[in-house]
């Protein structure tokens, strides 16, 4: 059974008009890009995009979908995390069982380490208030409303800081990539 | 109308932030979001990229590592040494027993920044080479700023909170603001949240709100152009934004961040006007820029850095 051919429900629900076909392709493209960014592998990203669309359609049969993109990325993020967990488990096994066969694994670790370092450096460069808000949001999983309350800021100000912080982090991440390719 | 890559990225960040926040989306915003995503592949790509970054484990890991890192204040704490450390330890005990009283002096060394948690829950961030006396009693809370610059985030607790320098007074109830006492005696105030009342010694007071700034110089209070209060003071990020400032002012700010004292060879040199955005947390870098841009000479004499005219004397 190959996933390349969509099952009958898929064609009936999703591919019945020209517009919906275009919209599904847009969602697929967003998911594929999201997964490729997180995993660094195009082939895996294709698989995850395909699996995500199937699950979205499945979900849509029993529920109403209000935010299609948000739902798709939530599902994709779960698939990515599952994959990373599997990968890590396998990596650990290989490292303990046979060091030689684990050759590609340390490379991935180095790549991942580098991203963490670049993001940490960008966080250090941020104004302290913004850094604190990003930490509360991502590490302590606090809601914007709770952060606003505890830090005595308006919710709008917290949202603005998160948005600007994202831009700062993205810039650091991209710079790292350019540097990386120049060095190699 | 076409939007630039930067615009798209900024809008995408706002939408990713929005998606991370709203559970059941408001219908109107949702329609806006879908219309935005339908604009072009570039819009959707920017959204996917930022969503991937925001949800990445690398970001969580980096943020957790940064959160666990000791801030500069602890390093400064060690440098000042045991006597102050002991005094602080006993003060902390005092805080536990009587959380609303506090009588202490804090000082930062050059290049050091420190965040102080005050007894009333307010915070004060000190820039380099600053000294404050904290007095929190039954009737009021006072901070005397002897020298340097500090950012205050004040908790409302019913008692008035006043920042004093020899030249000026700032009185507040619950707000965040920055006070810079320059060596000349000039005091600069910027309000980031709430409102404060500001006056020159013996002068009438002026009510200043969020995004407003003013200075007291030679007994005269001047209200300056408003600023964007979203980011907190520049110095906390290590920057000084100078628009038509004097070289002396820049040197004073650099001096606060420098391990070695920085001085001007003569006062006339300090009157030179400068403009620009300087990364004062990196004094060496700024000085090499200064040498090139303003034609000054940087020399090191007996552990001090001296800035002089480049013409041979």
């Amino acid at each position: 059974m190959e996933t390349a051919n969509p099952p009958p429900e898929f064609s009936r629900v999703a591919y019945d008009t020209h517009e919906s076909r275009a919209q599904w392709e847009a969602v697929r493209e967003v998911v594929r890009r999201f997964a490729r960014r997180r995993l660094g592998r195009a082939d895996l990203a294709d698989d995850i995009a395909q699996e995500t669309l199937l699950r979205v359609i499945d979900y849509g049969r029993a529920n109403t979908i209000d935010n299609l993109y948000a739902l798709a990325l939530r599902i994709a993020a779960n698939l990515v995390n599952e994959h990373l967990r599997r990968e890590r488990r396998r990596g650990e096994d290989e490292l303990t069982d046979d060091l030689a066969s684990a050759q590609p694994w340390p490379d991935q670790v180095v790549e991942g380490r580098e991203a963490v370092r670049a993001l940490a450096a960008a966080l250090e460069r941020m104004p302290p208030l913004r850094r604190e808000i990003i930490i509360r949001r991502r590490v302590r999983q606090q809601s914007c409303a709770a952060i606003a309350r505890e830090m005595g800021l308006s919710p709008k100000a917290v949202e603005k800081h998160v948005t600007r912080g994202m831009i700062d982090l993205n810039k650091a991440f991209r710079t790292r990539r350019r540097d990386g390719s120049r060095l190699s | 109308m076409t939007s630039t890559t930067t615009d798209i990225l900024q809008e995408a960040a706002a939408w990713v932030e929005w998606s991370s926040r709203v559970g059941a989306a408001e219908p109107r915003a949702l329609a806006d979001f879908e219309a935005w995503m339908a604009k072009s592949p570039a819009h959707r790509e920017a959204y996917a990229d930022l969503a991937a970054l925001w949800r990445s484990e690398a970001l969580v890991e980096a943020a957790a590592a940064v959160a666990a890192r000791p801030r500069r204040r602890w390093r400064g704490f060690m440098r000042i040494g045991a006597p102050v450390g002991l005094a602080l330890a006993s003060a902390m005990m005092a805080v536990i027993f009587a959380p609303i009283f506090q009588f202490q002096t804090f000082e930062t060394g050059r290049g050091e920044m420190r965040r102080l948690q005050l007894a009333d829950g307010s915070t004060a961030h000190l820039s380099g080479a600053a000294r404050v006396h904290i007095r929190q009693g039954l009737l009021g809370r006072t901070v005397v700023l002897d020298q340097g610059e500090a950012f205050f985030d004040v908790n409302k607790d019913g008692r008035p909170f006043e920042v004093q320098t020899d030249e000026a007074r700032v009185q507040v109830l619950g707000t965040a603001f920055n006070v810079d006492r320059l060596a000349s005696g000039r005091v600069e105030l910027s309000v980031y949240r709430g409102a404060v009342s500001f006056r020159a010694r013996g002068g009438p007071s002026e009510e200043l709100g969020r995004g407003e700034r003013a200075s007291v110089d030679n007994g005269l209070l001047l209200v300056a152009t408003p600023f964007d209060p979203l980011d907190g003071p520049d110095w906390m990020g290590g920057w000084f934004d100078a628009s038509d400032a004097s070289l002396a002012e820049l040197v004073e700010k650099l001096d606060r961040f420098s391990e070695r004292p920085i001085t001007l060879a003569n006062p006339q040199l300090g009157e030179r006007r400068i403009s620009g955005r300087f990364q004062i947390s990196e004094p060496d870098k700024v000085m090499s820029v200064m040498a090139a841009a303003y034609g000054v000479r940087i020399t090191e004499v007996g552990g001090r850095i001296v800035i002089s005219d480049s013409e041979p004397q």
Side-chain angles (χ1 to χ4, degrees):
Chain A
M1 241 199 219
E2 64 280 294
T3 42
N5 292 330
E9 298 92 329
F10 189 87
S11 5
R12 186 163 48 80
V13 176
Y15 278 73
D16 52 356
T17 67
H18 180 71
E19 279 134 77
S20 65
R21 180 185 290 258
Q23 216 207 343
W24 281 111
E25 272 321 304
V27 174
R28 182 198 294 275
E29 211 27 72
V30 166
V31 172
R32 183 152 47 203
R33 182 141 179 144
F34 171 88
R36 203 179 56 223
R37 265 235 154 173
R38 290 208 45 197
L39 297 170
R41 277 178 55 181
D43 54 337
L44 276 177
D46 286 342
D47 288 352
I48 283 179
Q50 177 66 11
E51 179 64 24
T52 299
L53 288 205
L54 293 177
R55 291 198 190 186
V56 167
I57 288 159
D58 204 35
Y59 178 91
R61 272 204 228 98
N63 310 274
T64 48
I65 299 172
D66 41 30
N67 191 340
L68 182 57
Y69 284 104
L71 174 69
L73 286 193
R74 211 158 42 238
I75 292 171
N78 285 337
L79 292 171
V80 165
N81 291 342
E82 252 169 56
H83 175 84
L84 288 173
R85 263 197 301 279
R86 262 200 312 275
E87 188 97 300
R88 256 196 298 271
R89 257 202 310 277
R90 213 185 55 218
E92 277 160 19
D93 291 347
E94 281 175 4
L95 277 177
T96 47
D97 293 352
D98 178 9
L99 267 172
S101 71
Q103 216 46 47
W105 168 245
D107 283 352
Q108 280 175 353
V109 174
V110 170
E111 168 73 11
R113 287 293 96 197
E114 221 186 293
V116 171
R117 250 201 305 279
L119 294 173
L123 282 162
E124 288 284 4
R125 281 196 301 271
M126 277 180 198
L129 194 61
R130 188 177 304 167
R131 175 172 57 227
E132 172 76 18
I133 288 171
I134 303 274
I135 288 169
R136 281 171 182 255
R137 197 86 183 77
R138 278 328 269 131
V139 182
R140 290 182 225 153
Q141 307 270 357
Q142 281 190 299
S143 72
C144 278
I147 294 172
R149 216 174 25 250
E150 284 182 21
M151 297 186 71
L153 297 163
S154 72
K156 265 269 161 307
V158 174
E159 289 162 24
K160 203 89 203 175
H161 274 297
V162 169
T163 306
R164 289 193 184 181
M166 245 183 247
I167 302 278
D168 294 345
L169 292 165
N170 185 57
K171 210 180 288 164
F173 191 70
R174 297 190 87 101
T175 313
R176 176 196 70 98
R177 300 231 100 160
R178 243 201 324 279
D179 284 354
S181 58
R182 199 183 53 219
L183 281 173
S184 59
Chain B
M1 205 178 89
T2 56
S3 32
T4 66
T5 324
T6 325
D7 287 342
I8 293 178
L9 207 60
Q10 258 153 19
E11 289 163 7
W15 283 121
V16 170
E17 193 280 328
W18 171 81
S19 309
S20 78
R21 182 160 43 83
V22 287
E26 322 98 73
R28 210 173 61 85
L30 184 60
D32 288 349
F33 171 58
E34 280 175 354
W36 187 87
M37 288 291 269
K39 277 185 180 171
S40 81
H43 287 74
R44 294 190 288 276
E45 282 167 13
Y47 181 86
D49 286 356
L50 289 175
L53 172 72
W54 188 242
R55 284 172 178 267
S56 70
E57 291 178 357
L59 175 58
V60 177
E61 202 180 315
V66 168
R69 242 172 244 176
R71 298 274 124 209
R72 277 171 168 213
R73 58 197 150 122
W74 295 117
R75 229 173 52 203
F77 191 81
M78 308 295 264
R79 201 183 298 157
I80 290 174
V84 180
L86 278 177
L88 269 179
S90 60
M92 277 171 191
M93 300 265 291
V95 165
I96 291 165
F97 293 121
I100 65 166
F101 297 107
Q102 186 178 28
F103 298 91
Q104 274 177 283
T105 296
F106 295 93
E107 220 169 339
T108 49
R110 305 167 166 285
E112 185 191 343
M113 281 196 237
R114 197 201 285 188
R115 176 175 174 279
L116 306 176
Q117 183 81 45
L118 307 187
D120 62 348
S122 302
T123 52
H125 290 262
L126 302 186
S127 181
R131 185 168 59 239
V132 294
H133 310 282
I134 314 278
R135 308 266 176 275
Q136 300 207 331
L138 208 52
L139 297 175
R141 300 169 287 172
T142 307
V143 177
V144 179
L145 179 65
D146 268 355
Q147 60 178 50
E149 188 166 5
F151 177 76
F152 298 94
D153 196 334
V154 178
N155 254 7
K156 218 176 234 178
D157 78 351
R159 294 175 293 168
F161 189 106
E162 192 170 67
V163 176
Q164 307 177 343
T165 76
D166 42 8
E167 288 290 328
R169 300 271 185 277
V170 189
Q171 206 190 31
V172 297
L173 276 172
T175 178
F177 60 97
N178 189 69
V179 184
D180 185 4
R181 189 214 180 270
L182 294 160
S184 64
R186 180 186 162 93
V187 176
E188 294 181 351
L189 169 74
S190 313
V191 181
Y192 290 83
R193 183 161 53 76
V196 306
S197 138
F198 188 40
R199 64 186 165 89
R201 191 182 51 191
S205 62
E206 183 81 33
E207 189 83 12
L208 294 177
R210 186 178 134 85
E212 292 190 301
R213 60 178 156 198
S215 61
V216 164
D217 202 1
N218 281 324
L220 207 67
L221 193 154
L222 289 170
V223 176
T225 47
F227 66 100
D228 180 3
L230 203 56
D231 284 345
D234 268 347
W235 66 263
M236 283 171 71
W239 289 86
F240 172 51
D241 225 335
S243 56
D244 193 33
S246 67
L247 187 60
E249 226 173 301
L250 173 62
V251 169
E252 185 173 355
K253 308 242 177 207
L254 279 178
D255 185 46
R256 290 172 182 168
F257 278 93
S258 173
E259 302 270 340
R260 289 162 298 173
I262 304 175
T263 48
L264 286 160
N266 61 66
Q268 294 96 289
L269 187 58
E271 283 160 23
R272 223 178 262 187
R273 309 312 292 177
I274 52 148
S275 284
R277 196 165 152 74
F278 301 92
Q279 195 179 3
I280 48 175
S281 57
E282 305 287 345
D284 294 339
K285 234 191 264 175
V286 176
M287 282 187 290
S288 63
V289 171
M290 276 163 63
Y294 302 114
V296 293
R297 203 160 46 136
I298 317 282
T299 42
E300 217 190 308
V301 187
R304 304 177 73 84
I305 297 167
V306 178
I307 301 174
S308 54
D309 275 309
S310 55
E311 298 89 61
Q313 275 137 356

